[in-house]
Amino acid sequence: MKYKNKQKITKAVIPVAGLGTRFLPFTKTIPKEMLPILNIPSIEYIVKDAVNAGIKDIIFVTSARKKALADYTDSYPWLEDELRKKNKIEELKLIQFLPKIANYIFVRQSKQLGLGDAVLKAKYAIGNEPFALLLGDDILLNNFKNITNDSILKNLINSYQKYQSIIVLLKKIEGKEIEKYGVVGIEKKIDQKNFLLNSLIEKPTFKKAPSDLAIMGRYILEPKIFDYLEKEQIDPNTGEIQLTNSISKYLLDKNNVYGVLFEGKRYDMGNLLGFLEANIDFALNDKKYRKVFAELLKDKIKNI
């Protein structure tokens, strides 16, 4: 298959089929992506990151259990009418926001076979185009001052337009925490934030990690990656198809892979502490809640 180059990136894949077992019993009936940061479900921040980078079409790779996600992206005219009647304009804007900003496509991942399989499920929705991949657990921010228009993904898209190859987001990780991530080896440091890579290893031991740079939840992928994913075997250690392995093979076939360093804040919404930290930080940076919430925290801490 021949692939076109220098296309605009207008599509993004967001895998959301995971079971969310760390949030049971809540996730027995409600997707963990619907867990709120204050009053906004975390998935909305992921979508906003993509849309602020110029993405028009969002492909959710989901499961039969997560119909609430599709419902959340839909319009609710009866509720909008009620809010108008009661002159609740701010609330009206909140519920109209997500349905208006993008087109949403839902494809199913019927078996839990990992990130590589989830990306492969989006093949026919993507077609012959480069695309973004955003993991649904990672809320990434440069700072709270520009939270409305912030987009980490935009930096990756800019790098793709320059290099025309796979781009991954990187963050420095200290110590043995590196064992939880895919880790990259560096062929060349282009500048302070851009690197040419020579290897990718999924969850290496601390001693075998080729660097202290881990892959975060943002990628720009070439459609060529589907060829590699289709040939990828299930990892016997994890029972999953590893995207990192397919990108490694893409690299070994003399294709370049680049990394862009992220130095902002990451919230891991896949675990309870990350969820709690996000809510605390967002509350302390919210004009409406910061003073009252800060006083509340002070009182609570005094009693510990």
Side-chain angles (χ1 to χ4, degrees):
M1 184 185 291
K2 293 183 179 180
Y3 296 93
K4 297 178 183 178
N5 287 321
K6 298 185 179 179
Q7 292 172 282
K8 289 185 71 173
I9 295 173
T10 62
K11 294 180 179 179
V13 174
I14 305 180
V16 289
L19 296 175
T21 52
R22 284 179 285 186
F23 282 94
L24 285 170
F26 179 87
T27 46
K28 180 180 176 181
T29 56
I30 302 172
K32 76 174 185 298
E33 295 79 15
M34 293 300 294
L35 282 162
I37 301 177
L38 303 186
N39 61 322
I40 304 294
S42 61
I43 193 63
E44 188 160 321
Y45 291 97
I46 308 293
V47 173
K48 190 185 293 185
D49 188 2
V51 171
N52 284 346
I55 298 297
K56 305 295 183 185
D57 299 317
I58 305 288
I59 298 108
F60 287 108
V61 182
T62 185
S63 68
R65 299 172 50 255
K66 298 199 172 184
K67 294 176 183 178
L69 285 171
D71 291 342
Y72 188 69
T73 63
D74 204 353
S75 296
Y76 284 79
W78 64 269
L79 180 55
E80 292 177 17
D81 289 343
E82 286 298 314
L83 292 173
R84 284 191 194 94
K85 289 175 186 177
K86 296 177 181 178
N87 200 33
K88 293 189 174 183
I89 305 305
E90 289 304 313
E91 290 85 351
L92 178 62
K93 288 178 181 178
L94 285 173
I95 69 163
Q96 289 178 327
F97 176 73
L98 206 67
K100 285 184 175 181
I101 61 173
N103 303 311
Y104 302 101
I105 301 163
F106 291 83
V107 297
R108 292 279 181 89
Q109 185 185 27
S110 56
K111 293 182 180 179
Q112 297 294 304
L113 293 178
L115 180 57
D117 181 67
V119 173
L120 190 56
K121 289 290 185 289
K123 176 181 178 180
Y124 294 104
I126 291 295
N128 190 27
E129 301 176 34
F131 62 100
L133 172 66
L134 301 91
L135 303 193
D137 283 347
D138 288 343
I139 305 292
L140 305 174
L141 293 178
N142 283 315
N143 58 65
F144 281 96
K145 291 181 181 179
N146 191 31
I147 192 171
T148 301
N149 299 311
D150 195 17
S151 177
I152 309 304
L153 185 65
K154 190 172 184 179
N155 296 332
L156 297 194
I157 290 177
N158 289 340
S159 292
Y160 177 81
Q161 296 303 336
K162 182 177 181 179
Y163 297 117
Q164 296 292 304
S165 195
I166 286 179
I167 314 287
V168 299
L169 188 68
L170 305 174
K171 188 169 178 61
K172 288 187 178 181
I173 302 294
E174 296 182 2
K176 289 198 171 185
E177 281 291 304
I178 200 78
E179 296 179 351
K180 298 177 181 179
Y181 301 91
V183 184
V184 302
I186 306 300
E187 177 69 24
K188 178 183 177 183
K189 184 177 181 180
I190 299 169
D191 56 38
Q192 290 300 313
K193 291 192 175 183
N194 292 276
F195 304 86
L196 178 64
L197 310 184
N198 60 23
S199 63
L200 297 91
I201 302 173
E202 183 65 25
K203 296 180 180 178
T205 62
F206 175 67
K207 290 184 179 180
K208 291 186 177 180
S211 74
D212 61 354
L213 294 175
I215 303 171
M216 291 293 104
R218 303 287 187 274
Y219 307 70
I220 303 297
L221 298 174
E222 291 264 84
K224 236 191 272 191
I225 197 64
F226 293 124
D227 294 344
Y228 293 89
L229 287 169
E230 286 174 335
K231 297 173 185 175
E232 194 67 55
Q233 299 295 313
I234 294 175
D235 187 319
N237 296 317
T238 64
E240 298 179 342
I241 294 173
Q242 298 290 353
L243 175 63
T244 304
N245 292 347
S246 288
I247 298 176
S248 294
K249 290 169 185 174
Y250 170 93
L251 179 59
L252 289 172
D253 282 346
K254 298 183 179 179
N255 298 294
N256 289 334
V257 176
Y258 295 87
V260 176
L261 184 63
F262 169 63
E263 295 180 310
K265 179 66 179 178
R266 174 196 181 230
Y267 298 98
D268 181 2
M269 296 297 290
N271 72 69
L272 186 55
L273 285 177
F275 164 71
L276 292 172
E277 183 184 14
N279 273 282
I280 291 169
D281 283 359
F282 274 68
L284 290 174
N285 283 278
D286 187 282
K287 291 179 181 179
K288 183 178 179 181
Y289 297 108
R290 67 173 61 153
K291 288 184 179 179
V292 174
F293 188 65
E295 289 299 321
L296 180 64
L297 280 180
K298 287 178 184 178
D299 290 342
K300 296 294 182 184
I301 290 169
K302 285 178 185 177
N303 295 323
I304 291 176

